[in-house]
Amino acid sequence: MNAAAQRILTINGGSSSIKFAVFDPTDLSRRELHGSIERIGLPGTLFVAKGPLPDDNFFRSIEVADHSAAAAALTDFITDRLGQGNLAAIGHRVVHGGPTYSAPQRIDAEMIAKLGALSAFDPEHLPEELRLIEAFHKRFPDVPQLACFDTAFHHDLPRVAQLLPIPRRYEGLGVRRYGFHGLSYTFLMEKLSELAGPKAARRRIVLAHLGNGASLAAVHDGKSVDTSMSFTPTAGVPMGTRSGDLDPGLAGYLAHLENMSSEQFSEMANSHSGLLGISETSSDMRVLLDNEAHDGRAAEAVALFCYEVKKRIGAFAAALGGLDTLVFAGGIGENAPSVRARVCDGLGFLGIDLDAARNNRTAEVISSETGRVKVRVIHTDEERVIAQAVTHLLASAGEPKGS
């Protein structure tokens, strides 16, 4: 197959999932094939795919114990669908770039070693992402792989937003606010410029990426000014299973009360907290909204999530000196009108006023005509950002071959 017919594969690995998409590099406006493997390492692992052919569309259970086994199932599918020699490149979302990486780059042995050393920065994601990179290298050894870093959007945060109030010597070890969801925020800013014009995209903006992982970013003049996540993606607002911000004294208290180790504390904060911890039933906002009328724990989980997001919008409006645009994105932000309404309720003093009918039908603009702040819902697309970066890197490098 000639170069024009080759495809770009994007891989978005999470702590218990792998999302993938296949793009024609000559037309990145649509995905030719996409899907995911969900609940990796848990009962009921699902492989979902959607594409133009009947065999590309399925929703089936598979048995995989870890990301390596899931990657094997995915590479089998990709090889069967595209053939061994029809990939131009593979682009990976890498959650943490640490202090070293701030732009998309070709993956090589040096990067693998440095990312391995950074694994302690984000033990929930980086080790699994490295296993995915290795698995795809073994199956497609001659296909270049490229890394797109979720921290890159926030790399040049103002100094005051980067600093963490702990002894200064730790900054020399790379301890600072990094921020995440950068690929999503990159897409949202590009889309906002397209929808509202470049001038609007350079004003005072709060982006709310609300999903199983949730964060907010304050953006001015197109640059990140502050963001809710910090050194790791655990910080910020409550999420599906992550706690968000916690009093650091809690670690010592639980160590005394339950002899909880630091590893156990991390497991609790990342995998058993947030919506799941408060509700004691589910990390899925859809389930909690369905149950809140008859389950007080579910209602409290929803209320806490909306309250914390609302507080962060207020704080970021203060950091920006006002607010011109609020954007909702992510699985919750795009699909839960009642959550958007609750988050915005009481923010009239900032100029936020939702139009109930527009919000309920998830219109592109959900603010009222009289609201000073334009409130939008934008479907985010991290995979397209990865594909764009890969296409650019391939073009600038003369379409390198080999790995």
Side-chain angles (χ1 to χ4, degrees):
M1 182 175 283
N2 59 41
Q6 289 190 316
R7 298 296 183 258
I8 291 172
L9 172 66
T10 65
I11 299 296
N12 187 339
S15 56
S16 62
S17 67
I18 305 171
K19 296 178 183 178
F20 69 93
V22 175
F23 294 85
D24 179 342
T26 65
D27 179 10
L28 300 180
S29 63
R30 64 185 183 88
R31 307 173 188 206
E32 293 192 340
L33 180 67
H34 63 95
S36 63
I37 301 179
E38 305 285 347
R39 297 180 56 82
I40 296 170
L42 300 171
T45 304
L46 294 174
F47 192 165
V48 181
K50 185 175 183 180
L53 301 177
D55 288 347
D56 295 337
N57 293 271
F58 57 81
F59 185 97
R60 63 183 180 229
S61 297
I62 61 172
E63 292 186 13
V64 293
D66 53 30
H67 279 65
S68 296
L74 179 55
T75 54
D76 285 345
F77 174 69
I78 295 296
T79 302
D80 180 66
R81 179 64 178 83
L82 299 182
Q84 186 70 24
N86 294 331
L87 281 179
I90 302 169
H92 292 265
R93 169 181 173 253
V94 178
V95 171
H96 215 310
T100 306
Y101 298 106
S102 59
Q105 292 188 35
R106 175 82 172 267
I107 297 171
D108 57 19
E110 180 182 2
M111 179 188 288
I112 293 295
K114 288 182 178 179
L115 290 177
L118 287 174
S119 288
F121 281 41
D122 185 11
E124 295 295 312
H125 296 95
L126 267 178
E128 302 299 348
E129 289 164 355
L130 291 173
R131 292 187 185 98
L132 284 174
I133 291 168
E134 177 62 24
F136 279 91
H137 174 65
K138 286 182 177 179
R139 180 59 67 92
F140 307 107
D142 297 325
V143 176
Q145 298 196 79
L146 302 102
C148 298
F149 297 95
D150 227 9
T151 49
F153 184 81
H154 309 289
H155 182 74
D156 295 321
L157 279 173
R159 173 74 173 158
V160 70
Q162 290 184 16
L163 289 171
L164 298 181
I166 58 176
R168 184 176 290 271
R169 67 180 183 273
Y170 293 111
E171 187 182 9
L173 301 176
V175 179
R176 49 158 283 195
R177 182 181 302 276
Y178 286 99
F180 302 89
H181 287 138
L183 298 178
S184 175
Y185 293 140
T186 297
F187 179 85
L188 294 176
M189 290 303 297
E190 291 175 355
K191 194 67 175 179
L192 180 61
S193 181
E194 175 187 321
L195 294 171
K199 184 177 179 180
R202 301 188 74 83
R203 300 186 73 186
R204 300 166 300 184
I205 301 162
V206 170
L207 305 173
H209 178 111
L210 307 180
N212 187 54
S215 74
L216 294 90
V219 181
H220 186 226
D221 201 23
K223 297 181 179 179
S224 180
V225 172
D226 205 346
T227 187
S228 58
M229 287 177 170
S230 185
F231 177 67
T232 74
T234 311
V237 299
M239 300 168 235
T241 63
R242 299 179 209 155
S243 63
D245 291 342
L246 289 175
D247 180 346
L250 183 60
Y253 176 73
L254 293 179
H256 173 75
L257 183 69
E258 297 185 350
N259 198 29
M260 184 179 287
S261 67
S262 61
E263 291 80 9
Q264 290 170 325
F265 184 87
S266 178
E267 172 73 12
M268 178 203 73
N270 281 287
S271 302
H272 305 290
S273 298
L275 297 177
L276 176 62
I278 294 295
S279 70
E280 297 184 310
T281 54
S282 179
S283 63
D284 191 325
M285 179 62 77
R286 295 166 297 185
V287 173
L288 299 178
L289 290 171
D290 287 343
N291 293 342
E292 65 175 336
H294 57 81
D295 185 341
R297 298 168 302 169
E300 285 188 339
V302 174
L304 178 61
F305 179 84
C306 296
Y307 176 66
E308 293 293 336
V309 173
K310 178 187 299 188
K311 283 201 304 182
R312 196 68 62 157
I313 292 170
F316 283 173
L320 291 165
L323 185 61
D324 299 300
T325 301
L326 171 63
V327 176
F328 286 100
I332 297 172
E334 296 168 25
N335 299 301
S338 65
V339 170
R340 296 193 299 258
R342 292 181 221 192
V343 166
C344 292
D345 184 38
L347 294 181
F349 71 97
L350 291 177
I352 294 174
D353 181 38
L354 291 195
D355 181 294
R358 291 177 178 177
N359 182 49
N360 287 337
R361 69 172 185 270
T362 308
E364 180 183 294
V365 175
I366 60 173
S367 48
S368 69
E369 294 297 331
T370 58
R372 187 185 58 77
V373 174
K374 192 77 73 175
V375 185
R376 295 179 175 271
V377 181
I378 299 178
H379 173 66
T380 194
D381 193 342
E382 295 169 320
E383 286 73 24
R384 189 188 298 187
V385 174
I386 298 171
Q388 289 171 339
V390 170
T391 301
H392 176 75
L393 285 170
L394 288 179
S396 62
E399 298 190 0
K401 299 297 180 183
S403 153

